[in-house]
Amino acid sequence: TIASERPGSFDYLQVDAFSSDSVPMHLLTLEAMRLYLDKLTQSGVLAVPVWKKHLDLTPVAVAAALASRDTHVAIAHTSADKKRVMDVASSTVVLVTKSPEVMARIASWPEAQPQTNASVPAWTDDYSDIVSALWRVYGEGK
């Protein structure tokens, strides 16, 4: 559906398909990220809530956004000490914009952490690594 929209037609776009037990991996690929960004205005913001109980998808979204070129990326994370909404103790959203001015405003938020480097390879239509996303939650001595 989003592919049929004209380029530059959204000021805000939220990709929110991460609440069920399924993992919509195709929504976190480099190709998908480029499609979303094509539909944003120059000062538009893409929000990708990536909270999953059993998978760490934040680095995946950050990698795809940074690999999309000419983007500015931040992670906004609210912790358990914030107001609980729908019994969710924390929330993580990856915010992406093409505008350095918009990112400067986002970066001023206390919960926002600008990102300039990817810690994992970007997923593509031909490559994904769900095991590493699982390992970041349950492995590494946790």
Side-chain angles (χ1 to χ4, degrees):
T1 302
I2 191 82
S4 65
E5 297 293 333
R6 64 180 173 74
S9 54
F10 294 98
D11 291 319
Y12 178 77
L13 184 60
Q14 181 170 329
V15 179
D16 193 3
F18 301 92
S19 60
S20 72
D21 288 334
S22 65
V23 179
M25 295 187 315
H26 64 287
L27 299 178
L28 291 174
T29 65
L30 175 59
E31 294 84 357
M33 191 67 65
R34 286 181 176 161
L35 175 66
Y36 309 144
L37 291 168
D38 178 60
K39 305 308 176 184
L40 284 179
T41 61
Q42 186 61 32
S43 61
V45 175
L46 171 66
V48 185
V50 290
W51 183 86
K52 292 289 284 176
K53 184 176 183 179
H54 301 291
L55 297 169
D56 183 5
L57 298 174
T58 304
V60 176
V62 168
L66 289 172
S68 296
R69 295 188 198 103
D70 298 325
T71 57
H72 305 275
V73 182
I75 298 170
H77 183 79
T78 58
S79 61
D81 58 343
K82 300 285 182 180
K83 182 180 177 188
R84 293 174 66 107
V85 178
M86 294 189 309
D87 204 36
V88 174
S90 64
S91 176
T92 302
V93 179
V94 175
L95 300 164
V96 186
T97 184
K98 297 180 262 186
S99 168
E101 294 82 15
V102 171
M103 183 51 60
R105 288 188 299 221
I106 291 170
S108 71
W109 303 347
E111 298 87 3
Q113 302 167 342
Q115 304 293 300
T116 56
N117 295 306
S119 62
V120 301
W123 289 3
T124 67
D125 288 345
D126 297 323
Y127 167 82
S128 63
D129 184 5
I130 198 81
V131 173
S132 290
L134 181 67
W135 181 254
R136 284 189 296 275
V137 173
Y138 293 104
E140 301 177 352
K142 293 182 181 177

